Amino acid sequence: MDLLTIKDLKKGFPVKEGLFGKKKVLKAVDGVTFSIKKDRVFALVGESGCGKSTVARLILRLIDPEGGEVFFKGKDIFSLKGEELKKYRRSVQIVFQDPFASLNPRMRILETLTEPLKIHKTVPGKQQKEFAAALLDQVGLDRDVMYRYPHEFSGGQRQRICIARALALSPEVIIADEPLSSLDVSIQAQILNLLKDLKEKQSLAFLFISHDLEVVRYFSDEIAVMYLGKIVEMADTNSLFDKPMHPYTELLIDSIPAIPRGEKKERPFQEHDSSSDAPSPLNIPPGCPFHPRCRKKKDNCDKATPDLIEAQGRLISCHLWN
């Protein structure tokens, strides 16, 4: 069952180039379409600035779109008001990238965990303390930490608290926006295993946003690859890693660091000019936006933008398959 359905979502931001420059529109999200199913992990991957986090904020209604629709269980979320909107916000929660910035430094952990319960009136006041203790237990923390402040914890512990807060309202979907990127590598595995365990025990659906493909391969069921505001390839995780079809997906997978095992791993993209920086989102090149970096480009790649079409059991936006 599709819990969230995103159709042709668009969002641009006006940006002024230089002190006296003209205003331009930065197309952060340009016609993104996908769906998130119950008890499944859908991952959005791509380089920084490709629009992944903007998609998350649109789904959460933290910002308004310029076009497109988002449906939660068949209801248009941008038409929700009052109690229906509160119900939607209970059902879709987020874990932010930076646990240091997403906790109020003046609030004890008990207050942090019980505040959403008070706002949404989901747990009676006398039971909120025990409920908070149960949340901490779910994320592997002792109940005594609820009387402490955020500055007393490590990064990994703070992210566990952020996850507990996201679970407080019994959501059906959790949006995890780069939840590991600010943590030490040794802690990342612990948090990732925690998310995987919670997903299996509570049948949660995830929108998992990351640039770390190894993490995505371990955790996700389906992947959409974004480039300059557009999805260029979408497939189930195993198929995408076993046989990437878009040249940009190939570049991303080839960029995963290889562990030396005695034999030199062949890395074909190092022989081409495919590792250059992405164009500015303010000056997206005509045609296929990836063509300046593509080693497989054809004559029409700089003239016509390829459609996102179905090919060999996946969606792909590339003239090699259009």
Side-chain angles (χ1 to χ4, degrees):
M1 182 182 74
D2 290 347
L3 290 177
L4 275 168
T5 303
I6 292 85
K7 293 184 177 180
D8 198 28
L9 204 56
K10 297 179 181 179
K11 180 64 179 180
F13 298 98
V15 176
K16 192 174 182 180
E17 282 194 317
L19 187 61
F20 302 104
K22 294 182 179 180
K23 281 189 177 180
K24 291 188 174 183
V25 176
L26 187 154
K27 292 183 179 180
V29 179
D30 190 12
V32 166
T33 298
F34 62 90
S35 61
I36 302 172
K37 296 177 174 61
K38 184 177 180 180
D39 196 24
R40 300 278 286 177
V41 178
F42 185 93
L44 276 180
V45 303
E47 294 166 295
S48 297
C50 70
K52 306 185 300 293
S53 294
T54 303
V55 170
R57 281 152 178 75
L58 288 166
I59 293 172
L60 290 160
R61 279 195 57 172
L62 298 178
I63 55 177
D64 295 322
E66 291 179 355
E69 300 167 304
V70 177
F71 295 95
F72 179 70
K73 293 183 174 180
K75 292 185 177 181
D76 180 3
I77 70 163
F78 298 116
S79 66
L80 299 179
K81 296 179 181 179
E83 194 58 38
E84 281 195 326
L85 179 57
K86 286 184 71 174
K87 186 177 179 181
Y88 171 71
R89 294 199 186 282
R90 288 196 296 269
S91 299
V92 182
Q93 291 286 301
I94 186 168
V95 177
F96 289 101
Q97 175 179 353
D98 186 0
F100 296 91
S102 56
L103 293 173
N104 188 331
R106 298 185 179 184
M107 292 174 65
R108 296 181 189 270
I109 303 309
L110 177 61
E111 297 171 283
T112 295
L113 296 180
T114 57
E115 184 181 36
L117 308 178
K118 294 173 183 176
I119 293 172
H120 291 273
K121 301 177 182 178
T122 55
V123 177
K126 293 182 180 180
Q127 300 175 22
Q128 289 179 2
K129 185 176 176 181
E130 285 303 315
F131 190 87
L135 288 172
L136 291 170
D137 182 62
Q138 286 183 60
V139 298
L141 293 174
D142 190 83
R143 64 181 297 155
D144 292 341
V145 307
M146 68 173 69
Y147 303 106
R148 294 158 62 184
Y149 289 94
H151 72 269
E152 300 178 62
F153 298 95
S154 66
Q157 289 173 320
R158 292 191 202 193
Q159 196 62 293
R160 289 176 185 268
I161 293 166
C162 292
I163 294 169
R165 180 178 59 186
L167 295 172
L169 296 174
S170 302
E172 296 178 69
V173 182
I174 289 182
I175 297 175
D177 186 4
E178 298 273 13
L180 310 177
S181 61
S182 63
L183 305 177
D184 292 340
V185 174
S186 60
I187 305 299
Q188 288 182 9
Q190 297 177 23
I191 299 300
L192 186 61
N193 287 329
L194 171 63
L195 292 174
K196 193 175 183 70
D197 186 53
L198 290 169
K199 182 255 179 187
E200 292 172 354
K201 287 182 177 178
Q202 302 189 23
S203 297
L204 292 167
F206 277 84
L207 172 59
F208 190 77
I209 296 170
S210 180
H211 63 271
D212 189 330
L213 293 185
E214 289 285 22
V215 168
V216 168
R217 186 174 195 173
Y218 172 75
F219 188 50
S220 69
D221 300 299
E222 190 175 1
I223 301 176
V225 180
M226 285 190 69
Y227 186 77
L228 292 177
K230 294 179 178 290
I231 290 176
V232 296
E233 186 169 1
M234 190 189 309
D236 70 82
T237 300
N238 290 334
S239 297
L240 188 129
F241 276 91
D242 290 343
K243 186 183 177 183
M245 290 170 58
H246 195 285
Y248 178 60
T249 309
E250 292 181 22
L251 174 60
L252 287 179
I253 292 176
D254 188 68
S255 69
I256 299 173
I259 300 174
R261 299 187 184 277
E263 295 182 8
K264 186 177 179 182
K265 181 184 176 183
E266 190 173 325
R267 306 185 73 81
F269 274 96
Q270 291 184 350
E271 301 172 8
H272 304 272
D273 189 25
S274 300
S275 59
S276 58
D277 293 336
S280 167
L282 285 172
N283 296 292
I284 297 176
C288 173
F290 185 63
H291 85 263
R293 307 170 70 189
C294 183
R295 71 184 182 104
K296 298 180 179 180
K297 60 187 174 185
K298 299 164 65 178
D299 292 340
N300 64 331
C301 288
D302 61 348
K303 300 176 180 66
T305 303
D307 296 323
L308 187 67
I309 63 166
E310 186 171 351
Q312 298 187 20
R314 71 184 67 191
L315 295 176
I316 185 166
S317 173
C318 180
H319 287 302
L320 295 172
W321 307 97
N322 274 211

